[in-house]
Amino acid sequence: MKHIFAVVVLALLSVTTYAHTPKGEPPVKKMKSNSVQHIVLFKFKPETTPEKLKEILAAFEALPSKIKEIKGFQWGTNNSPEGHAHGLTHAFILTFDSEKDRDAYLPHPAHKEFGSIVGPWIADLTVVDFTNQAK
């Protein structure tokens, strides 16, 4: 009887999990508490057209599908009212399970290819990595 109950509970859990996953989107990957956050901030050259910017953003968004070590990817444009952005307009956060995974990402051919796409259009950039210390 206990085995039947366990099977029913597991089946309900799997159905509930599937029902809460939006169609067409992969399930969110669970990130480790000591994950590495790779933060990239861009300031684009004034001659960067909206079309070129769209191409660059699409290329960056494609990296998680090409590089298995990327466990999380977020990006957005600066909307801080504080006035300390120094012209940096776009922020990206890539999450890795470890420094080893981050280190595998850096020389990855897909990352290098992205660098060749974005490089000519960058006026300035900042990169900061940290290992999550939050409990």
Coordinates of all heavy atoms in Angstrom, one line a residue, residues 5 97 99 127 135:
F5 N 0.9 4.4 -2.8 CA 0.8 5.8 -2.3 C 2.0 6.6 -2.8 O 1.9 7.7 -3.4 CB 0.7 5.9 -0.8 CG 0.6 7.3 -0.3 CD1 -0.6 8.0 -0.5 CD2 1.7 7.9 0.3 CE1 -0.7 9.3 0.0 CE2 1.6 9.2 0.8 CZ 0.4 9.9 0.6
D97 N 28.1 27.3 -12.5 CA 28.1 26.5 -11.3 C 29.4 26.6 -10.5 O 29.5 26.4 -9.3 CB 27.9 25.0 -11.5 CG 26.4 24.7 -11.7 OD1 25.5 25.5 -11.4 OD2 26.1 23.6 -12.3
E99 N 33.9 28.2 -10.9 CA 34.9 28.9 -11.6 C 35.4 28.1 -12.8 O 35.7 28.7 -13.8 CB 36.1 29.3 -10.7 CG 35.7 30.4 -9.7 CD 36.9 30.8 -8.8 OE1 38.0 30.6 -9.1 OE2 36.6 31.4 -7.7
V127 N 33.8 44.1 -16.7 CA 33.4 42.7 -16.4 C 33.8 42.5 -15.0 O 35.0 42.8 -14.6 CB 34.2 41.7 -17.3 CG1 33.9 40.3 -16.9 CG2 33.8 41.9 -18.8
K135 N 23.7 32.9 1.6 CA 23.3 31.6 2.2 C 21.9 31.3 1.9 O 21.0 32.1 1.8 CB 23.6 31.5 3.7 CG 25.0 31.8 4.1 CD 25.9 30.6 3.6 CE 27.3 30.9 4.0 NZ 28.3 30.3 3.1

